[in-house]
Amino acid sequence: MSKRHVSLKTLAQTLNVSISTVSRALRNHPDISAELTQKVQELAQELKYSPNPLAIGLLKDQSNTIGVIVPDLVTYFFSSIISGIESVANEHGYYIVIRCSYESAEKEKECLDNLLKLRVAGVIMCLAQETQDYSHFSNLIEEQVPLVFFDRVCRSEEVSTVVVNNQEAARQITRHFFESGYRRIAHIAGPAQLNITQERIQGYQQGLAECGLPFDDSLLVHCDLSIPSATEATQQLLALPSRPDAIFGVNDTTAFAAMKEIKRQGLRIPADIGLVGFTDEFHATVVEPTLTSVMHPTYEMGREAGLLFLKQINPQVEVAPQQTVLTTQLVVRESSVK
Amino acid sequence: MSKRHVSLKTLAQTLNVSISTVSRALRNHPDISAELTQKVQELAQELKYSPNPLAIGLLKDQSNTIGVIVPDLVTYFFSSIISGIESVANEHGYYIVIRCSYESAEKEKECLDNLLKLRVAGVIMCLAQETQDYSHFSNLIEEQVPLVFFDRVCRSEEVSTVVVNNQEAARQITRHFFESGYRRIAHIAGPAQLNITQERIQGYQQGLAECGLPFDDSLLVHCDLSIPSATEATQQLLALPSRPDAIFGVNDTTAFAAMKEIKRQGLRIPADIGLVGFTDEFHATVVEPTLTSVMHPTYEMGREAGLLFLKQINPQVEVAPQQTVLTTQLVVRESSVK
DNA sequence: AACCTTTGCGCAAAGGTTTGCGGAATTATC
DNA sequence: GATAATTCCGCAAACCTTTGCGCAAAGGTT
């Protein structure tokens, strides 16, 4: 096995001074003579000394790691958000420890417990879609452990959050469909309890109302964000006696699954069915027809979550939880213009 | 701020026994009476005691975290590998700390240094495409720090690695093109120094030879795996006096970019140009035409990397570096069959 | 020359955990 | 009833770092 790292003790013994002197010299403490300070720093560099974060963490009872919990590690949406978090963390000397809840409430709780046992400085997370009980966050909130939710949020009076303007985006999509001549506009929504689902449904309904279209609840179906589920939802819509002529998917993955199913049934996009997604990943420009989608600033969402987190980490003043709303932008492509 | 966690000291003071007794009781040490052991364990449970990993790490000079360095956090390829690593790590009580090298050799070195400063137990990584000098791994190798490379590897006599059968896969692709009637088969390869590039080129050339086709080096172009670069490579191929009738992309992203450019130039797939990718992400089934691709077992690659790592972490016997080769499978879809 | 200030460094405690060793109290042995 | 063996627990060191305090030597002031 490898021998231990070089420590202050190593430096101190080599130079025949005390550990505390070495510690001070490295931090340029005025108590230490310039001469000795230089000698210490040179030796430290030569021996590649680096302070042991475990010891520092132990002393201060906090580490320089941020726990990150996502429902899914694989999709572009989350990986690009993680990328944003990582970049901010990196810039500020933090490290991110990632765990995946696999959309399970139970696993989410387990991840949270584990990360806290690891003594992370706090947690940045997106709720699992299963999660309906939010009581496991009470401890964190009471003990003021830094906590940030992104995209799927809860208890936002007590916790800082980053979301996008879901309602407005959904409203724009609906109006865009209307303006393109679509009249029976369906929505494949996410799990009902999620804020993103609710807000997008509201925007959808608002858009319908503004366009003078009735809300037909057979045109509103839910899915669990998985591909099979999205496919099934699409089948359900296409099997309606009075078929929709446009579908708004809760995200791009859902829209891609819908696209696949629509084509499989021999229907044409956008002629027979208009289609719009949400996220605007690269593949939206590759599929045929290219997919109209709402540009979700995922990377920025990650960065913003990281920044909100850092605000809580060293509160100069008592900071109140802060709600950031990022704006999206509708990117119109072929799939929604007849 | 939050007060400190409950420690052995807390338990000891509450029960009026010594810290060492509490420590032993929790680990069921025979020196401690059954009665006291039970009392201690009950209190620990009640107070939700969990041992401080920082203290243990300090004592043993190792942590239960694994450093993971990837060139890119966002693409499916890496995020699904990370998912595999995370699942193995999780199963064995480890946590993964992720850093991104952004394909830069300098950043890669920086990530490595930072992770080592963090006192990770070891590192699982994929080389940045820029990296040509492999000397920064010498320290790790000498000091027997657990190290695993996946996909893009180096120094594989000294370091455990996980790769796929790149050469064979490329050979199969080439033969598949030939059997589908394509004769001028081009290859958009990755950066020349990468093992995956070299191996796939070898397989490509082997396949050509087996089919009795000449190797035309104007049909072999390189890209840096970015979308603009892949687009440019495609343009270069399509502009050749004697245009290729088939393109084998080094990965799916490259193939998608090529598909977009081929369509933009008004050429048809697979009639005018056959196309095959490498990775087989979900979107291969969504694009039109659906993309023939090599199924790369990314999640398994992550899991295998994790397992190789764990083998090194507590070497019962002196373990030699181990090379794992995973097998791929060609998935034929519309893009390569006339 | 006596006193005060400054300079430059070390001691020791704290944080949480593990573990070899020692020691008191109980039980077993003759 | 004395000695030996066992049972059960505490002391203290070690891992590494930071920091308040103390202290000696040097310099400065009257």
Side-chain angles (χ1 to χ4, degrees):
Chain A
M1 295 299 285
S2 58
K3 46 183 173 299
R4 296 192 76 101
H5 289 88
V6 18
S7 68
L8 290 183
K9 193 175 175 183
T10 320
L11 303 182
Q13 287 174 342
T14 310
L15 293 174
N16 255 321
V17 292
S18 78
I19 293 177
S20 43
T21 299
V22 174
S23 173
R24 289 190 171 91
L26 290 175
R27 328 180 98 233
N28 288 311
H29 194 288
D31 266 9
I32 310 299
S33 68
E35 189 186 14
L36 182 54
T37 296
Q38 193 187 349
K39 254 184 17 188
V40 169
Q41 295 189 350
E42 280 174 359
L43 184 67
Q45 197 138 48
E46 186 189 332
L47 266 50
K48 291 183 183 149
Y49 166 80
S50 82
N52 190 324
L54 275 58
I56 299 178
L58 181 57
L59 197 63
K60 312 218 163 149
D61 198 34
Q62 62 165 1
S63 70
N64 52 349
T65 55
I66 306 174
V68 175
I69 304 177
V70 289
D72 174 300
L73 267 169
V74 175
T75 56
Y76 170 81
F77 182 76
F78 289 110
S79 55
S80 57
I81 289 177
I82 289 174
S83 181
I85 298 175
E86 195 264 347
S87 72
V88 169
N90 180 9
E91 288 164 12
H92 292 81
Y94 282 84
Y95 298 85
I96 60 171
V97 180
I98 296 192
R99 293 298 302 268
C100 183
S101 68
Y102 296 98
E103 299 283 13
S104 146
E106 187 190 1
K107 268 200 170 299
E108 172 178 292
K109 196 166 174 331
E110 186 188 317
C111 291
L112 199 59
D113 286 346
N114 284 332
L115 288 173
L116 294 176
K117 282 185 185 169
L118 189 63
R119 270 44 171 189
V120 294
V123 174
I124 300 178
M125 64 182 293
C126 176
L127 291 175
Q129 63 171 277
E130 254 189 20
T131 306
Q132 309 225 30
D133 170 24
Y134 308 130
S135 59
H136 50 305
F137 301 118
S138 296
N139 288 341
L140 306 197
I141 294 171
E142 279 167 22
E143 300 189 10
Q144 309 232 29
V145 178
L147 180 61
V148 175
F149 290 122
F150 62 86
D151 202 53
R152 308 180 191 164
V153 306
C154 70
R155 304 181 69 162
S156 42
E157 332 74 44
E158 307 161 284
V159 183
S160 285
T161 61
V162 199
V163 294
V164 294
N165 56 345
N166 287 298
Q167 182 170 349
E168 171 60 16
R171 176 179 157 273
Q172 283 180 21
I173 290 174
T174 313
R175 294 178 61 118
H176 164 68
F177 270 139
F178 181 80
E179 287 159 12
S180 298
Y182 296 99
R183 289 298 177 265
R184 284 190 58 74
I185 303 168
H187 178 28
I188 302 180
Q193 69 273 17
L194 295 183
N195 59 302
I196 54 169
T197 302
Q198 295 162 2
E199 291 165 15
R200 290 176 198 177
I201 290 178
Q202 279 183 15
Y204 163 66
Q205 293 178 328
Q206 184 186 352
L208 289 177
E210 288 176 10
C211 297
L213 295 174
F215 168 63
D216 177 348
D217 62 3
S218 71
L219 294 182
L220 175 61
V221 295
H222 288 271
C223 76
D224 68 3
L225 306 180
S226 74
I227 291 168
S229 165
T231 304
E232 197 180 341
T234 309
Q235 289 170 343
Q236 191 180 331
L237 287 175
L238 297 183
L240 285 177
S242 176
R243 208 178 58 198
D245 61 358
I247 297 179
F248 155 34
V250 67
N251 60 26
D252 278 3
T253 307
T254 302
F256 290 141
M259 178 178 280
K260 200 170 158 183
E261 179 61 21
I262 294 168
K263 286 182 184 174
R264 198 188 64 78
Q265 297 201 14
L267 296 167
R268 292 161 306 163
I269 305 172
D272 300 322
I273 310 259
L275 187 62
V276 170
F278 206 114
T279 298
D280 196 33
E281 43 184 282
F282 163 66
H283 301 89
T285 69
V286 171
V287 293
E288 189 168 316
T290 54
L291 181 70
T292 296
S293 189
V294 171
M295 198 278 291
H296 190 303
T298 49
Y299 183 81
E300 287 72 23
M301 176 170 266
R303 285 195 58 91
E304 183 61 27
L307 293 174
L308 284 181
F309 183 90
L310 291 171
K311 271 195 191 167
Q312 295 177 58
I313 208 72
N314 282 321
Q316 303 83 342
V317 289
E318 185 73 16
V319 283
Q322 186 177 334
Q323 321 311 323
T324 301
V325 180
L326 302 177
T327 59
T328 56
Q329 193 165 3
L330 183 63
V331 182
V332 177
R333 299 201 182 83
E334 299 165 353
S335 68
S336 64
V337 181
K338 285 193 200 178
Chain B
M1 292 299 288
S2 59
K3 48 184 174 294
R4 299 193 76 101
H5 291 88
V6 18
S7 67
L8 290 183
K9 194 175 176 182
T10 320
L11 303 181
Q13 286 174 343
T14 310
L15 293 174
N16 254 324
V17 291
S18 78
I19 292 177
S20 43
T21 299
V22 174
S23 172
R24 289 189 171 92
L26 289 175
R27 330 179 96 232
N28 289 309
H29 193 289
D31 266 10
I32 310 298
S33 69
E35 189 187 11
L36 181 54
T37 298
Q38 193 188 347
K39 255 186 11 190
V40 170
Q41 295 189 350
E42 280 173 358
L43 183 68
Q45 199 138 48
E46 186 189 332
L47 266 51
K48 292 185 182 148
Y49 166 79
S50 82
N52 190 325
L54 274 59
I56 299 179
L58 181 58
L59 197 62
K60 311 218 163 148
D61 198 31
Q62 60 164 4
S63 71
N64 52 349
T65 55
I66 306 175
V68 175
I69 305 176
V70 290
D72 175 299
L73 267 169
V74 175
T75 56
Y76 170 82
F77 182 76
F78 290 110
S79 55
S80 57
I81 289 177
I82 288 174
S83 181
I85 298 175
E86 196 265 347
S87 71
V88 169
N90 180 8
E91 288 164 12
H92 292 81
Y94 280 84
Y95 298 85
I96 59 171
V97 180
I98 296 193
R99 295 297 303 267
C100 183
S101 68
Y102 296 98
E103 299 283 14
S104 144
E106 188 190 359
K107 269 203 169 296
E108 173 177 292
K109 196 168 174 329
E110 186 188 319
C111 291
L112 198 60
D113 285 347
N114 284 333
L115 288 173
L116 294 177
K117 281 184 186 169
L118 190 62
R119 274 33 175 195
V120 295
V123 174
I124 300 178
M125 64 182 293
C126 176
L127 292 174
Q129 63 171 277
E130 253 190 19
T131 306
Q132 309 226 30
D133 169 23
Y134 307 130
S135 59
H136 50 305
F137 301 118
S138 296
N139 289 340
L140 305 197
I141 295 171
E142 279 166 22
E143 299 188 11
Q144 309 233 27
V145 178
L147 180 60
V148 175
F149 290 122
F150 63 86
D151 202 53
R152 308 180 193 164
V153 306
C154 69
R155 304 181 69 162
S156 40
E157 332 76 43
E158 307 160 283
V159 182
S160 285
T161 61
V162 198
V163 294
V164 294
N165 56 345
N166 287 298
Q167 181 170 349
E168 172 59 17
R171 177 178 155 274
Q172 283 180 22
I173 290 175
T174 313
R175 292 180 61 119
H176 164 68
F177 270 140
F178 182 79
E179 286 159 13
S180 297
Y182 296 100
R183 290 297 177 268
R184 282 190 60 73
I185 303 167
H187 178 29
I188 301 180
Q193 68 273 18
L194 295 183
N195 60 300
I196 54 170
T197 302
Q198 294 162 2
E199 292 164 16
R200 291 176 198 176
I201 290 178
Q202 280 183 15
Y204 162 67
Q205 293 179 326
Q206 184 186 351
L208 289 178
E210 287 176 10
C211 297
L213 295 175
F215 168 62
D216 177 348
D217 63 1
S218 71
L219 293 182
L220 175 61
V221 295
H222 288 271
C223 76
D224 68 2
L225 306 180
S226 75
I227 292 168
S229 164
T231 303
E232 197 180 343
T234 309
Q235 289 170 341
Q236 191 179 331
L237 287 174
L238 297 183
L240 285 176
S242 176
R243 207 178 60 199
D245 61 358
I247 297 180
F248 156 33
V250 67
N251 60 26
D252 278 3
T253 306
T254 302
F256 290 140
M259 179 177 281
K260 200 170 159 184
E261 179 61 20
I262 293 167
K263 287 182 184 174
R264 197 188 64 80
Q265 297 201 13
L267 295 167
R268 292 162 306 165
I269 306 173
D272 300 322
I273 310 259
L275 187 62
V276 170
F278 207 113
T279 298
D280 196 32
E281 44 184 281
F282 163 68
H283 300 89
T285 69
V286 172
V287 292
E288 189 167 317
T290 54
L291 181 69
T292 297
S293 188
V294 171
M295 197 278 291
H296 190 304
T298 49
Y299 183 81
E300 287 72 22
M301 177 170 266
R303 285 196 58 91
E304 182 62 27
L307 293 174
L308 284 181
F309 183 91
L310 291 171
K311 272 195 190 170
Q312 295 176 59
I313 206 76
N314 281 322
Q316 304 83 341
V317 287
E318 185 74 16
V319 283
Q322 185 177 335
Q323 321 310 323
T324 301
V325 180
L326 302 177
T327 58
T328 56
Q329 193 165 2
L330 182 63
V331 182
V332 176
R333 298 199 183 84
E334 299 165 353
S335 69
S336 64
V337 181
K338 285 193 202 181

